[in-house]
Amino acid sequence: MSNKELIDISALEITASAVPERVFEFIKTVKNPYCFRVKATPVKVVFSDKADAPAIENLLVNIAIRRFN
């Protein structure tokens, strides 16, 4: 997927008020929550095999909270 095809979340507006609905709206809009961009910077979410690594669900919720609060 090219950078132009990635959804730019810096321009994304989430209207839901509850966190689960905001996360759902984010995923629905971005299509692939593992690959998106912030302005011109592509972002690819990767997993760690370390036991103490945070869960992807927690990271995505944190992104949604910080970006759309």
Side-chain angles (χ1 to χ4, degrees):
M1 186 174 271
S2 73
N3 284 355
K4 290 181 181 181
E5 294 174 309
L6 297 174
I7 301 296
D8 180 5
I9 68 166
S10 67
L12 187 64
E13 292 190 30
I14 301 293
T15 58
S17 58
V19 172
E21 286 82 14
R22 288 164 56 177
V23 172
F24 176 76
E25 193 172 334
F26 173 81
I27 293 170
K28 181 179 159 189
T29 304
V30 173
K31 311 261 188 294
N32 182 351
Y34 304 106
C35 293
F36 52 88
R37 67 185 162 88
V38 179
K39 297 188 180 180
T41 305
V43 177
K44 182 177 182 180
V45 178
V46 294
F47 293 95
S48 173
D49 59 357
K50 296 180 181 178
D52 61 342
I56 186 67
E57 293 86 359
N58 295 340
L59 296 173
L60 290 172
V61 167
N62 288 338
I63 289 171
I65 289 171
R66 280 182 290 197
R67 172 62 182 97
F68 304 110
N69 234 353

Coordinates of all heavy atoms in Angstrom, one line a residue:
M1 N 0.8 -1.2 0.0 CA 0.0 0.0 0.0 C 0.9 1.2 0.0 O 1.8 1.3 0.8 CB -0.9 0.0 1.2 CG -1.9 1.1 1.3 SD -3.1 0.9 2.7 CE -4.3 -0.1 1.9
S2 N 0.6 2.2 -0.9 CA 1.4 3.4 -1.0 C 1.0 4.4 0.1 O -0.1 4.3 0.7 CB 1.3 4.0 -2.3 OG 0.0 4.6 -2.5
N3 N 1.9 5.4 0.4 CA 1.5 6.4 1.4 C 0.3 7.2 1.0 O -0.5 7.5 1.9 CB 2.7 7.4 1.5 CG 3.8 6.9 2.3 OD1 3.8 5.8 2.8 ND2 4.9 7.6 2.3
K4 N 0.0 7.4 -0.3 CA -1.2 8.1 -0.7 C -2.5 7.3 -0.4 O -3.5 7.9 -0.2 CB -1.1 8.4 -2.2 CG -0.1 9.4 -2.6 CD -0.1 9.7 -4.0 CE 1.0 10.7 -4.4 NZ 1.0 11.0 -5.8
E5 N -2.4 6.0 -0.4 CA -3.5 5.2 -0.1 C -3.8 5.1 1.4 O -5.0 4.7 1.8 CB -3.3 3.8 -0.6 CG -3.3 3.7 -2.2 CD -2.9 2.3 -2.7 OE1 -1.9 1.7 -2.2 OE2 -3.7 1.8 -3.5
L6 N -2.9 5.4 2.2 CA -3.1 5.3 3.7 C -3.9 6.5 4.1 O -3.8 7.6 3.7 CB -1.7 5.4 4.4 CG -0.8 4.2 4.2 CD1 0.5 4.5 4.9 CD2 -1.4 2.9 4.7
I7 N -4.8 6.2 5.1 CA -5.7 7.3 5.6 C -4.9 8.2 6.6 O -4.1 7.7 7.4 CB -6.9 6.7 6.4 CG1 -7.7 5.7 5.5 CG2 -7.7 7.7 7.1 CD1 -8.4 6.4 4.4
D8 N -5.0 9.5 6.4 CA -4.3 10.4 7.2 C -5.2 10.7 8.5 O -6.2 11.3 8.4 CB -4.1 11.7 6.5 CG -3.4 12.8 7.3 OD1 -3.0 12.5 8.4 OD2 -3.2 13.9 6.8
I9 N -4.7 10.2 9.6 CA -5.5 10.4 10.8 C -5.4 11.8 11.4 O -6.2 12.1 12.3 CB -5.2 9.3 11.9 CG1 -3.8 9.5 12.5 CG2 -5.5 7.9 11.4 CD1 -3.6 8.7 13.8
S10 N -4.5 12.6 11.0 CA -4.4 14.0 11.5 C -5.6 14.8 11.0 O -6.0 15.8 11.7 CB -3.1 14.7 11.0 OG -3.1 14.9 9.7
A11 N -6.3 14.4 10.0 CA -7.5 15.1 9.5 C -8.8 14.4 9.8 O -9.9 14.9 9.5 CB -7.4 15.3 8.0
L12 N -8.7 13.3 10.5 CA -9.8 12.4 10.9 C -10.6 13.0 12.0 O -10.0 13.5 13.0 CB -9.3 11.0 11.2 CG -10.3 9.9 11.5 CD1 -11.1 9.7 10.2 CD2 -9.6 8.7 12.0
E13 N -11.9 13.1 11.9 CA -12.8 13.5 13.0 C -13.6 12.4 13.5 O -14.4 11.8 12.7 CB -13.6 14.7 12.5 CG -12.8 15.9 12.2 CD -13.7 17.2 12.0 OE1 -14.8 17.2 12.6 OE2 -13.2 18.0 11.3
I14 N -13.5 12.1 14.7 CA -14.3 11.0 15.4 C -15.4 11.7 16.2 O -15.1 12.6 17.0 CB -13.4 10.1 16.3 CG1 -12.3 9.5 15.4 CG2 -14.3 9.1 17.0 CD1 -12.8 8.5 14.4
T15 N -16.6 11.4 15.9 CA -17.8 12.0 16.6 C -18.3 11.3 17.8 O -19.1 11.9 18.6 CB -18.9 12.3 15.6 OG1 -19.3 11.1 15.0 CG2 -18.4 13.3 14.5
A16 N -18.0 10.0 17.9 CA -18.6 9.2 19.0 C -18.0 9.7 20.3 O -16.9 10.2 20.4 CB -18.3 7.7 18.8
S17 N -18.8 9.5 21.4 CA -18.3 10.0 22.7 C -17.7 8.9 23.6 O -16.8 9.2 24.3 CB -19.5 10.7 23.4 OG -20.6 9.8 23.6
A18 N -18.3 7.7 23.5 CA -17.7 6.6 24.3 C -16.5 6.0 23.7 O -16.5 5.9 22.4 CB -18.8 5.6 24.6
V19 N -15.6 5.6 24.5 CA -14.3 5.0 23.9 C -14.5 3.8 23.0 O -13.9 3.8 21.9 CB -13.3 4.7 25.1 CG1 -12.1 4.0 24.6 CG2 -12.9 6.0 25.8
P20 N -15.3 2.8 23.4 CA -15.5 1.7 22.4 C -16.0 2.1 21.1 O -15.5 1.7 20.0 CB -16.5 0.8 23.1 CG -16.3 1.1 24.6 CD -16.0 2.6 24.6
E21 N -17.0 3.1 21.1 CA -17.5 3.6 19.8 C -16.5 4.4 19.0 O -16.4 4.3 17.8 CB -18.8 4.4 20.0 CG -20.0 3.6 20.4 CD -20.0 3.2 21.9 OE1 -19.3 3.8 22.7 OE2 -20.8 2.3 22.2
R22 N -15.6 5.1 19.7 CA -14.6 5.9 19.1 C -13.6 5.0 18.4 O -13.1 5.2 17.3 CB -13.9 6.8 20.1 CG -14.8 7.9 20.5 CD -14.4 8.7 21.7 NE -13.1 9.2 21.7 CZ -12.5 9.9 22.6 NH1 -13.3 10.2 23.7 NH2 -11.3 10.4 22.6
V23 N -13.2 3.9 19.1 CA -12.3 2.9 18.5 C -12.9 2.3 17.3 O -12.2 2.2 16.3 CB -11.9 1.9 19.6 CG1 -11.0 0.8 19.0 CG2 -11.1 2.5 20.7
F24 N -14.2 1.9 17.4 CA -14.8 1.3 16.3 C -14.9 2.2 15.1 O -14.6 1.9 14.0 CB -16.3 0.9 16.7 CG -17.1 0.3 15.5 CD1 -16.8 -0.9 15.0 CD2 -18.0 1.1 14.9 CE1 -17.6 -1.4 14.0 CE2 -18.7 0.6 13.8 CZ -18.5 -0.6 13.4
E25 N -15.2 3.5 15.3 CA -15.3 4.5 14.3 C -13.9 4.7 13.6 O -13.8 4.8 12.4 CB -15.8 5.8 14.8 CG -16.2 6.8 13.7 CD -16.9 8.0 14.3 OE1 -17.6 7.9 15.4 OE2 -16.9 9.1 13.6
F26 N -12.9 4.7 14.5 CA -11.5 4.9 14.0 C -11.2 3.7 13.0 O -10.7 3.9 11.9 CB -10.5 4.9 15.2 CG -9.1 4.9 14.8 CD1 -8.4 6.0 14.3 CD2 -8.3 3.7 14.8 CE1 -7.1 6.0 14.0 CE2 -7.0 3.6 14.4 CZ -6.4 4.8 14.0
I27 N -11.4 2.5 13.5 CA -11.1 1.3 12.7 C -11.9 1.3 11.4 O -11.4 1.0 10.3 CB -11.3 0.0 13.5 CG1 -10.2 0.0 14.6 CG2 -11.2 -1.2 12.6 CD1 -10.4 -1.1 15.6
K28 N -13.2 1.6 11.5 CA -14.1 1.6 10.4 C -13.6 2.6 9.3 O -13.6 2.4 8.1 CB -15.5 2.0 10.8 CG -16.5 2.0 9.7 CD -17.9 2.3 10.3 CE -18.8 2.9 9.3 NZ -20.1 3.4 9.9
T29 N -13.1 3.8 9.8 CA -12.7 4.8 8.9 C -11.3 4.5 8.3 O -11.1 4.7 7.1 CB -12.7 6.2 9.6 OG1 -13.9 6.4 10.1 CG2 -12.3 7.3 8.6
V30 N -10.4 4.1 9.1 CA -9.0 3.8 8.7 C -8.9 2.6 7.9 O -8.0 2.4 7.1 CB -8.1 3.8 9.9 CG1 -6.7 3.5 9.6 CG2 -8.1 5.2 10.6
K31 N -9.8 1.7 8.1 CA -9.9 0.4 7.4 C -8.8 -0.6 7.9 O -9.1 -1.7 8.3 CB -9.7 0.5 5.9 CG -10.6 1.5 5.2 CD -11.8 0.8 4.6 CE -12.6 1.8 3.8 NZ -13.3 2.9 4.5
N32 N -7.6 -0.2 8.0 CA -6.5 -1.1 8.5 C -5.8 -0.3 9.7 O -5.0 0.6 9.5 CB -5.5 -1.3 7.4 CG -4.4 -2.3 7.9 OD1 -4.2 -2.6 9.1 ND2 -3.5 -2.7 7.0
P33 N -6.2 -0.7 10.9 CA -5.6 0.1 12.1 C -4.1 -0.2 12.3 O -3.5 0.4 13.1 CB -6.4 -0.5 13.2 CG -6.8 -1.8 12.8 CD -7.1 -1.7 11.3
Y34 N -3.5 -1.1 11.5 CA -2.1 -1.4 11.6 C -1.3 -0.5 10.6 O -0.1 -0.4 10.8 CB -1.8 -2.8 11.3 CG -2.6 -3.7 12.2 CD1 -3.7 -4.4 11.8 CD2 -2.3 -3.8 13.6 CE1 -4.5 -5.3 12.6 CE2 -3.1 -4.6 14.4 CZ -4.2 -5.3 13.9 OH -4.9 -6.1 14.8
C35 N -1.9 0.1 9.6 CA -1.2 1.0 8.7 C -2.0 2.2 8.4 O -3.1 2.1 7.9 CB -1.0 0.2 7.4 SG 0.1 -1.2 7.5
F36 N -1.5 3.3 8.7 CA -2.1 4.6 8.5 C -1.0 5.7 8.4 O 0.2 5.3 8.5 CB -3.2 5.0 9.5 CG -2.7 4.9 10.9 CD1 -2.1 5.9 11.6 CD2 -2.8 3.7 11.7 CE1 -1.6 5.9 12.9 CE2 -2.3 3.6 13.0 CZ -1.7 4.7 13.6
R37 N -1.4 6.9 8.2 CA -0.3 7.9 8.3 C -0.8 9.1 9.1 O -2.0 9.3 9.3 CB 0.1 8.4 6.9 CG -0.9 9.1 6.0 CD -0.3 9.3 4.6 NE -1.5 9.6 3.8 CZ -1.9 10.8 3.6 NH1 -1.4 11.9 4.1 NH2 -3.0 11.0 2.8
V38 N 0.2 9.9 9.6 CA -0.1 11.1 10.3 C 0.6 12.2 9.4 O 1.9 12.2 9.4 CB 0.5 11.1 11.7 CG1 0.2 12.4 12.4 CG2 -0.1 9.9 12.5
K39 N -0.2 13.0 8.8 CA 0.3 13.9 7.7 C 1.1 13.1 6.7 O 0.5 12.3 6.1 CB 1.0 15.0 8.4 CG 0.1 15.9 9.3 CD 0.8 17.1 9.8 CE -0.3 17.8 10.7 NZ 0.2 19.0 11.3
A40 N 2.4 13.4 6.6 CA 3.2 12.7 5.5 C 3.9 11.5 6.1 O 4.6 10.8 5.3 CB 4.2 13.7 4.9
T41 N 3.7 11.2 7.4 CA 4.5 10.1 8.0 C 3.7 8.8 8.0 O 2.6 8.8 8.7 CB 4.9 10.5 9.4 OG1 5.6 11.7 9.4 CG2 5.7 9.4 10.1
P42 N 4.1 7.8 7.3 CA 3.4 6.5 7.4 C 3.7 5.8 8.8 O 4.7 5.9 9.3 CB 4.0 5.7 6.3 CG 5.3 6.3 6.0 CD 5.2 7.7 6.4
V43 N 2.6 5.2 9.3 CA 2.7 4.5 10.6 C 2.4 3.0 10.3 O 1.3 2.7 9.8 CB 1.8 5.1 11.6 CG1 1.8 4.3 12.9 CG2 2.1 6.6 11.8
K44 N 3.2 2.1 10.8 CA 2.9 0.7 10.7 C 3.0 0.1 12.1 O 4.1 0.2 12.7 CB 3.9 0.0 9.7 CG 3.6 -1.5 9.6 CD 4.5 -2.1 8.6 CE 4.1 -3.6 8.5 NZ 5.0 -4.3 7.5
V45 N 2.0 -0.4 12.6 CA 2.0 -1.0 13.9 C 2.5 -2.5 13.8 O 2.0 -3.2 13.0 CB 0.5 -1.0 14.5 CG1 0.5 -1.7 15.9 CG2 0.0 0.4 14.6
V46 N 3.5 -2.8 14.6 CA 4.0 -4.1 14.6 C 3.9 -4.7 16.1 O 3.8 -4.0 17.0 CB 5.5 -4.2 14.2 CG1 5.6 -3.8 12.7 CG2 6.3 -3.3 15.0
F47 N 3.9 -6.0 16.1 CA 3.8 -6.7 17.4 C 5.2 -7.0 18.0 O 6.1 -7.3 17.2 CB 3.0 -8.0 17.3 CG 1.6 -7.7 16.9 CD1 1.1 -7.7 15.6 CD2 0.7 -7.4 17.9 CE1 -0.2 -7.4 15.3 CE2 -0.7 -7.2 17.6 CZ -1.1 -7.2 16.3
S48 N 5.3 -7.1 19.3 CA 6.5 -7.5 19.9 C 6.3 -8.9 20.5 O 5.2 -9.2 20.9 CB 6.8 -6.5 21.1 OG 7.9 -7.0 21.8
D49 N 7.3 -9.7 20.5 CA 7.2 -11.0 21.1 C 7.6 -11.0 22.6 O 7.6 -12.1 23.2 CB 8.0 -12.0 20.3 CG 9.5 -11.7 20.2 OD1 9.9 -10.7 20.7 OD2 10.2 -12.5 19.6
K50 N 7.8 -9.9 23.1 CA 8.2 -9.8 24.5 C 7.0 -9.9 25.4 O 5.9 -9.4 25.1 CB 8.9 -8.4 24.8 CG 10.2 -8.3 24.1 CD 10.8 -7.0 24.4 CE 12.1 -6.8 23.6 NZ 12.8 -5.6 23.9
A51 N 7.1 -10.6 26.5 CA 6.0 -10.9 27.4 C 5.4 -9.7 28.0 O 4.2 -9.6 28.3 CB 6.4 -11.9 28.4
D52 N 6.2 -8.7 28.2 CA 5.8 -7.5 28.9 C 5.3 -6.4 28.0 O 5.0 -5.2 28.4 CB 6.8 -6.9 29.9 CG 8.1 -6.5 29.1 OD1 8.3 -7.0 28.0 OD2 8.9 -5.8 29.7
A53 N 5.2 -6.7 26.7 CA 4.8 -5.7 25.7 C 3.3 -5.4 25.9 O 2.5 -6.3 26.2 CB 5.0 -6.2 24.3
P54 N 2.9 -4.1 25.7 CA 1.5 -3.8 25.9 C 0.6 -4.4 24.7 O 1.1 -4.6 23.6 CB 1.4 -2.2 25.8 CG 2.7 -1.9 25.1 CD 3.7 -2.9 25.4
A55 N -0.6 -4.7 25.1 CA -1.6 -5.2 24.1 C -1.9 -4.2 23.0 O -2.1 -3.0 23.3 CB -2.8 -5.7 24.8
I56 N -2.1 -4.6 21.8 CA -2.5 -3.8 20.7 C -3.8 -3.0 21.0 O -3.9 -1.8 20.6 CB -2.5 -4.5 19.3 CG1 -2.7 -3.5 18.2 CG2 -3.6 -5.5 19.3 CD1 -1.6 -2.6 17.9
E57 N -4.7 -3.7 21.6 CA -6.0 -3.0 21.9 C -5.7 -1.8 22.8 O -6.3 -0.7 22.6 CB -6.9 -4.0 22.7 CG -7.4 -5.1 21.8 CD -6.4 -6.3 21.8 OE1 -5.4 -6.3 22.5 OE2 -6.7 -7.3 21.1
N58 N -4.9 -1.9 23.8 CA -4.6 -0.8 24.7 C -3.9 0.3 23.9 O -4.2 1.5 24.2 CB -3.7 -1.3 25.9 CG -4.4 -2.2 26.8 OD1 -5.6 -2.3 26.8 ND2 -3.6 -3.0 27.5
L59 N -3.0 0.0 23.1 CA -2.3 1.0 22.3 C -3.2 1.8 21.4 O -3.2 3.0 21.3 CB -1.1 0.4 21.5 CG 0.0 -0.3 22.3 CD1 0.9 -1.0 21.4 CD2 0.7 0.8 23.1
L60 N -4.1 1.0 20.7 CA -5.1 1.7 19.8 C -6.1 2.6 20.6 O -6.4 3.7 20.1 CB -5.9 0.7 19.0 CG -5.1 -0.1 17.9 CD1 -5.9 -1.2 17.3 CD2 -4.6 0.9 16.9
V61 N -6.5 2.1 21.8 CA -7.4 2.9 22.6 C -6.6 4.2 23.0 O -7.2 5.3 22.9 CB -7.9 2.2 23.8 CG1 -8.5 3.1 24.9 CG2 -8.9 1.1 23.4
N62 N -5.4 4.1 23.4 CA -4.6 5.3 23.8 C -4.4 6.2 22.6 O -4.5 7.5 22.8 CB -3.2 4.8 24.3 CG -3.3 4.2 25.7 OD1 -4.3 4.4 26.4 ND2 -2.3 3.4 26.0
I63 N -4.2 5.7 21.4 CA -4.1 6.6 20.2 C -5.4 7.4 20.0 O -5.4 8.6 19.8 CB -3.8 5.8 19.0 CG1 -2.3 5.3 19.0 CG2 -4.0 6.7 17.7 CD1 -2.0 4.3 17.9
A64 N -6.5 6.6 20.1 CA -7.9 7.3 19.9 C -8.1 8.3 21.0 O -8.7 9.4 20.7 CB -8.9 6.2 19.9
I65 N -7.8 8.0 22.2 CA -8.1 8.9 23.3 C -7.2 10.2 23.2 O -7.7 11.3 23.3 CB -7.8 8.3 24.7 CG1 -8.8 7.2 25.0 CG2 -7.7 9.3 25.8 CD1 -8.5 6.4 26.2
R66 N -5.9 10.0 22.9 CA -5.1 11.2 22.8 C -5.4 12.0 21.5 O -5.4 13.3 21.6 CB -3.6 10.8 22.7 CG -3.0 10.5 24.1 CD -1.6 10.2 23.9 NE -1.6 8.9 23.2 CZ -0.6 8.0 23.2 NH1 0.5 8.3 23.6 NH2 -0.8 6.9 22.6
R67 N -5.7 11.4 20.4 CA -6.0 12.1 19.2 C -7.3 12.8 19.2 O -7.5 13.9 18.6 CB -5.8 11.2 18.0 CG -6.2 11.7 16.7 CD -5.3 12.9 16.2 NE -5.8 13.4 15.0 CZ -6.6 14.5 14.9 NH1 -7.0 15.1 15.9 NH2 -6.9 14.9 13.7
F68 N -8.3 12.2 19.7 CA -9.7 12.6 19.6 C -10.3 13.1 20.9 O -11.5 13.2 20.9 CB -10.5 11.5 18.9 CG -9.9 11.1 17.6 CD1 -9.4 9.8 17.5 CD2 -9.9 12.0 16.5 CE1 -8.8 9.4 16.3 CE2 -9.3 11.5 15.3 CZ -8.8 10.3 15.2
N69 N -9.6 13.4 21.9 CA -10.1 13.9 23.1 C -10.1 15.4 23.1 O -9.4 16.1 22.5 CB -9.3 13.5 24.3 CG -10.1 12.8 25.3 OD1 -11.3 12.8 25.3 ND2 -9.5 12.2 26.3

